Structures are given as structure tokens and as C-alpha cells.
Amino acid sequence: MVGFRTRLGAAALLAGLAGATLAAAMAIAGPDPARLASQGLPEAGVPPCAACHGAKGEGLESQGAPRLAGLNAGYIGAQLDAFRSGRRKYAMMNAVAHGLSPDQSAALAAYYASLPPPAAPPVSPAASTQEALGRDLALRGDWAKGVPPCAACHAPDGLGVGAVTPALAGQGRAYLLGELRRFASGERAGDPLGLMRAVAGRLTPAQMRAVAAYYASRPAGANTDGGPS
């Protein structure tokens, strides 16, 4: 009987060690970002990222939600931090960021950065004139109004520069236009040296629409524009 109890105790100890090893392995592996993106964290009140940003991180134009697929991981992480701290204000994202741990935020940032960006939509003839104006502003600016080219910070192809300036190419028109308006009104802050607030504040509504239309039409992959000509 004593031997049986000894063996039973040893088995329980081994089972406990196995459980601890599994827990440690899960901790090392970190959160499952694909599951977070598709299912969220119901217990923390965090909805699925896919509900607004699309099943593949492509963004949803109907909701004015940006694409996340292919963006720089450092930039995505920095924005989640800004939403968490309140430096960037948007009620839904402030709540989401508060519900995520730092590890979960980092995992989601890396996950979306690894996804291929969506293809650019076809250009409609009706939009070509507006996009031509947007291209001129993006690549040459409007120096008479003190507006530098967007390409000076966001790169000639609109793919951004690391974690500092985000990609604009391939973002939805509604999202780009909405953010320009938020910068112009001062609702969105946190931009280095207040540069975007100053630039957006000098753009006319027509220029905002043109720049948004241009970048929404650009491919989110390699540079095919060639820069100013």
C-alpha cells in the first residue's frame, strides 16, 4: 500500500512538472496573433481585429479602417502604444489597446507586418484627373502654400520609412482622407514636431481628396512610380 501511494505521488509530481513545462513553453511561444486577429479577446472585451481591418489585414473602406497588412511592425506597435496611452485618440482603438498586453500588441504588430499587402484597385477614368492632382502634390508639394511633397517623408513610392513614417500607398481613400482631416483639426496629434498637423492645415479640402485618391490608387508593393518626372 505504501508503495502504491509512493508511485501515485510520483505520478502526480510528474504530471505537475509536465503541466509546468507546457505552461512555460506556451509562455515562451507567446500569444497566438492569428487567433487574436480573427477572434479577439472576448474575456477582455477586445473585438477581433478582422472585424474592422479585414480578414487578411487589407482594411475595410466602408468603415474607413486602414490596412495593416505589410505595414512596418515598429510603426504598428508604436500606434498601439499611442492608443493605449491616449496620445492618439479614437475610442474603439483606445479600448482595444487597453485590453491587450504588451506581448499581445507586439505579436499582433509582427503578425500584420508579415502579411502580404493587397493589390491596388483599378483606376477609374472618372478619378484619373483627381489622382493626377494628388500625384503632383505627393511628389512636388505646393511650396507656395508651404506644403512639402508627401514623398519627402513617406518615400517616393509611398511605402513609408521604417517605423517613423507610415506607408500611404494602398491605404483606403476614406481612411487617408479622414486622417488628414483629423490632423488639420488637431484631433490627431503625436506627429513628430507637429509636421502633419501643419501640412494638413494648409491643404484645401480638394487637395486632401486628391492626395487620398492618389495614394489609394498606388500599389502597396515595390515602387512603380519612378518619382517626379
Side-chain angles (χ1 to χ4, degrees):
M1 188 67 176
V2 174
F4 174 77
R5 286 198 297 268
T6 301
R7 289 194 297 272
L8 185 61
L13 177 61
L14 288 173
L17 288 173
T21 302
L22 177 59
M26 290 178 67
I28 292 171
D32 179 356
R35 184 175 179 180
L36 278 174
S38 63
Q39 299 181 24
L41 289 171
E43 67 277 11
V46 176
C49 308
C52 292
H53 296 282
K56 298 179 180 179
E58 71 276 16
L60 294 180
E61 178 72 1
S62 61
Q63 298 189 37
R67 77 168 171 93
L68 302 178
L71 294 185
N72 181 274
Y75 177 77
I76 297 174
Q79 297 313 298
L80 284 171
D81 287 343
F83 281 124
R84 184 181 297 108
S85 70
R87 296 192 309 277
R88 183 172 177 183
K89 300 183 185 301
Y90 192 80
M92 171 64 80
M93 282 306 304
N94 294 139
V96 167
H98 273 293
L100 295 172
S101 70
D103 284 347
Q104 289 167 337
S105 295
L108 279 171
Y111 169 71
Y112 277 115
S114 73
L115 296 180
V123 178
S124 63
S128 59
T129 300
Q130 187 179 53
E131 289 170 10
L133 172 60
R135 181 183 188 276
D136 196 55
L137 285 167
L139 301 180
R140 295 186 176 85
D142 185 353
W143 289 109
K145 295 177 61 178
V147 175
C150 309
C153 292
H154 295 276
D157 50 16
L159 298 184
V161 179
V164 180
T165 56
L168 303 179
Q171 285 289 13
R173 184 181 311 200
Y175 170 74
L176 292 170
L177 181 57
E179 293 307 297
L180 282 171
R181 288 171 173 167
R182 290 186 182 96
F183 276 123
S185 70
E187 179 183 350
R188 181 171 175 182
D191 47 320
L193 303 177
L195 181 60
M196 274 306 306
R197 280 170 286 172
V199 169
R202 296 171 187 148
L203 294 174
T204 67
Q207 287 176 321
M208 289 185 186
R209 290 192 295 271
V211 168
Y214 170 71
Y215 277 117
S217 74
R218 302 306 305 151
N223 178 10
T224 59
D225 202 306
S229 58

